[in-house]
Amino acid sequence: MNLLKLLGWEVERATKPYLILITLLVVAQFAWLGFFLWSETNMYEEIRRTGTPDYVLTFANYLGGTPFILSIGVAVAAMVFFSFWIWYRDFQGRGTFMMRLLLMPQKRMIVFGAKLVTMMLMILGLFSVQWIALKLQYIAFSSWLDSQMIPVGGSFEQAIRFDGALSPMYPASFVNFLIHQVLIVLVILFIFAFVLIERSLWQRTLWSPIIAILMLGALIAVPVTAFFFLESRLFMDEMMVVVGLGLMGWMSVTVWLSRLYLTKKLSV
């Protein structure tokens, strides 16, 4: 069984819940856009009847609404949940294909790679769909307000840049985008490592989740403590090198831990 076949299988299994998530996300955001435009138009007309409105609407006003922020939060939570579920679902039945595949230790890291690539494809796909949806929402936003002769301020790029939820997802430069993707991979690797450590220990102790959390907590705490100790003793360029080495070290250790528990400790 090669990586591409496993990747295709994982993507096929994820397609239905993934499409449901995207559909709910887009529908919820456009529903909020419709309500926002209706509410602001009525308010603006009321103010215009009694005087001259002294404010200008921007796309950032829409993005800053609680429903939009919640929709982004739900999408992020869904990706975190799926990072757990993509592993835990394979331990629910003893007769599944994945359980038979896990009986072959030499193939287990291919399973690991397929799940990691699947998660990144889903996250990048979600970013792409959200970007297209945002562009369409901005077109609808500006077109409607123009038709109602309501002044619109700012640009699409400015609204994205100053939004606390979207600016990390869509940074201004390609280099920053790559850095954010590395951080996302690191988060997924920590989740994968937690699941594999917990699943390796659960048959021997009921405290397996706590042990896994403590192990990974120590892995995070030691470099962070060293970073704060070195922060005041290094120049900016040196600090960037230390941060880069720290991220590479975290990724290497989490992959090593995952490999250790997946190929040596995990019994099926």
Side-chain angles (χ1 to χ4, degrees):
M1 181 63 66
N2 58 39
L3 178 61
L4 290 179
K5 287 184 179 180
L6 274 177
L7 178 59
W9 191 55
E10 289 288 352
V11 170
E12 182 180 356
R13 297 173 75 192
T15 298
K16 186 175 180 179
Y18 185 63
L19 291 178
I20 292 174
L21 171 66
I22 288 178
T23 302
L24 292 176
L25 176 69
V26 173
V27 169
Q29 289 183 0
F30 274 97
W32 161 238
L33 176 62
F35 177 81
F36 177 86
L37 291 175
W38 172 79
S39 175
E40 291 297 327
T41 301
N42 289 340
M43 181 182 299
Y44 205 89
E45 289 297 330
E46 184 67 28
I47 296 175
R48 191 147 49 187
R49 281 193 293 267
T50 59
T52 302
D54 58 354
Y55 71 96
V56 177
L57 280 175
T58 67
F59 194 55
N61 296 129
Y62 159 71
L63 297 179
T66 301
F68 184 86
I69 295 173
L70 285 176
S71 71
I72 297 296
V74 169
V76 172
M79 290 296 100
V80 172
F81 171 78
F82 199 87
S83 297
F84 286 95
W85 180 66
I86 199 172
W87 280 105
Y88 277 116
R89 68 183 177 186
D90 295 326
F91 294 96
Q92 299 305 309
R94 293 290 175 175
T96 64
F97 168 75
M98 183 60 68
M99 294 303 295
R100 293 195 299 270
L101 187 61
L102 288 175
L103 292 173
M104 299 181 288
Q106 69 274 16
K107 298 291 186 180
R108 292 184 180 184
M109 286 308 291
I110 300 179
V111 177
F112 183 90
K115 291 182 183 295
L116 179 60
V117 174
T118 299
M119 286 305 309
M120 289 309 301
L121 288 176
M122 292 176 63
I123 291 171
L124 291 174
L126 187 62
F127 283 0
S128 301
V129 170
Q130 179 64 86
W131 182 261
I132 295 172
L134 283 170
K135 283 286 189 180
L136 294 176
Q137 289 163 33
Y138 180 74
I139 293 172
F141 176 89
S142 55
S143 299
W144 172 260
L145 294 180
D146 286 342
S147 69
Q148 301 298 314
M149 293 182 292
I150 299 175
V152 179
S155 65
F156 176 80
E157 289 74 17
Q158 288 174 335
I160 298 298
R161 189 177 307 121
F162 293 107
D163 186 86
L166 295 177
S167 56
M169 297 169 60
Y170 307 106
S173 70
F174 181 69
V175 173
N176 286 341
F177 179 77
L178 291 179
I179 292 173
H180 291 168
Q181 298 313 303
V182 169
L183 294 176
I184 291 172
V185 171
L186 184 59
V187 171
I188 295 174
L189 288 175
F190 270 104
I191 294 174
F192 281 13
F194 169 83
V195 174
L196 294 173
I197 294 172
E198 191 274 331
R199 286 290 89 184
S200 299
L201 299 174
W202 75 276
Q203 291 178 323
R204 284 172 277 177
T205 174
L206 296 175
W207 301 96
S208 57
I210 297 177
I211 295 174
I213 290 174
L214 290 176
M215 290 178 62
L216 295 176
L219 178 60
I220 295 173
V222 172
V224 169
T225 302
F227 172 80
F228 282 113
F229 178 77
L230 294 172
E231 185 178 13
S232 60
R233 293 170 171 80
L234 297 175
F235 294 107
M236 180 59 67
D237 292 342
E238 296 172 332
M239 183 57 61
M240 294 301 295
V241 172
V242 170
V243 171
L245 292 175
L247 292 175
M248 291 175 59
W250 263 338
M251 294 183 70
S252 299
V253 174
T254 51
V255 171
W256 175 79
L257 273 176
S258 299
R259 184 179 185 279
L260 174 66
Y261 279 89
L262 181 59
T263 60
K264 304 294 184 182
K265 307 290 186 180
L266 184 63
S267 60
V268 294

